[in-house]
Amino acid sequence: MADLRAQQLKLLAETFGSERIDEVIERVAMLPVEVPSWGFGRGGTRFAAYDSPGVPTTVEERIAAAGRFRELTGKGRTVALHFPWDGSTPDDIARLAEWLDRAGLAAGSINANLFTPRGVLDHRLRFGSLTSPDDEIRAASVEHNLDCIEIMRTLGADTLVLWLPDGTNSPGQMSLYDQAVRLEAAVSTIYEALDDHHTLLIEYKYFEPGMYATAIPDYARSRELCRQLGTRARVLVDLGHHAPTTNVEQIVAFLLRSGDLGGFHFNDSQYADDDLATGSLHPGQLFRILCNLVEGERRGHSPIDELALMIDQSHNVKDPLAEMIESVENIETAYAKALLVDWDSLHEAQDDCDPTRADALLRDAFLTDVRPILAEARS
Ligand code: PSV
Ligand code: MN
């Protein structure tokens, strides 16, 4: 096997040049990918969540699984955390810090949960959180984000992720103007509470749980909010949050070019927010997204490793640890292939109005077997 890998690498070096292959190996090895604590547990649907032997059920077990993932892949040094799923009291947070430390991990992005009823944030959440007409719910929703910022300080994390489950289910339920005004006021209080080195990433989603008018339905709204807030607020693209047929790579290029792209929640889907292993259904889309990141970096926009490359998945059936490994391998694969694109020839073909050659150049890279590069990067 080792011999075979050496031969395959030699062939790649002969085809692309050994310096280029070494550079790709190095870049794949250095690519930081963040994994979600919730992705190591068993996910469910609105029908049921089925337990399976061996799948973590506690926070401690999920962090241990993240540690195992790190040992196996070398990725996932930072773990995205979700509160209160990963704890709520100071004691919980202290224990969490210990578990992370024991597993050689660090806290990654801190995700505020504005959708699970608890305490003051009770079932009135069905009418929204930051945009609720209920003053007490609005205030408690902001407060939860401020608590998350305190957790960031305790755990040494620097990214707050806001996904807003707010939306209405029927026309007339809430004035769309009131919805926008409340959203902007609340988000600005949260932004003001951040420290200078903190970043706020704002997700958008075109549907769910409100099925009529989602408060942040698309990247335009998310970008508008970020721009109103300031330079430390950026857009987070969750691949499962678009209508089918949306050209996500084009959104990526728009956002990268304008300096508004903060990062990703990688996952894959057949229907919408299925949260399957990224690249498991649409490796071509993942490749094209990475191509646009590579091209953006070549053009002087944000370097890829300065973006928050996070996975957001939930596994209802398959083994979560195995799925997380598949996802990271698919990201690495897409990245290696994007780096192997003959960019100069591609631009030439584009300038020559030769789409057939341009497509062939992309396919040359996409069809290259980069598994020896991944193996080398890992070792
Ligand atoms: C919402 O669909 C979302 O993408 C947000 O990131 C949540 O925090 C996450 O999924 C986990 O359920
Ligand atoms: Mn997400």
Side-chain angles (χ1 to χ4, degrees), residues 38 111 161 163 203 236 238 241 265 267 273 275 312:
W38 61 93
N111 293 252
V161 171
W163 172 65
E203 287 188 73
L236 172 52
D238 183 314
H241 291 192
H265 271 176
N267 50 58
D273 198 20
D275 277 343
D312 179 7

Side-chain angles (χ1 to χ4, degrees), residues 167-212:
T168 57
N169 268 299
S170 50
Q173 179 185 332
M174 184 187 292
S175 154
L176 300 181
Y177 294 86
D178 285 340
Q179 186 187 54
V181 169
R182 290 183 194 132
L183 173 63
E184 287 168 16
V187 172
S188 130
T189 309
I190 296 166
Y191 185 79
E192 291 307 319
L194 292 169
D195 296 339
D196 286 349
H197 65 286
H198 288 163
T199 302
L200 175 67
L201 298 181
I202 303 184
E203 287 188 73
Y204 57 90
K205 186 175 189 177
Y206 81 110
F207 78 116
E208 202 186 49
M211 303 307 272
Y212 167 65

Side-chain angles (χ1 to χ4, degrees), residues 223-238:
R223 170 154 68 179
E224 189 182 30
L225 281 170
C226 291
R227 295 227 163 156
Q228 286 168 4
L229 293 169
T231 51
R232 285 176 294 118
R234 298 239 165 77
V235 180
L236 172 52
V237 177
D238 183 314

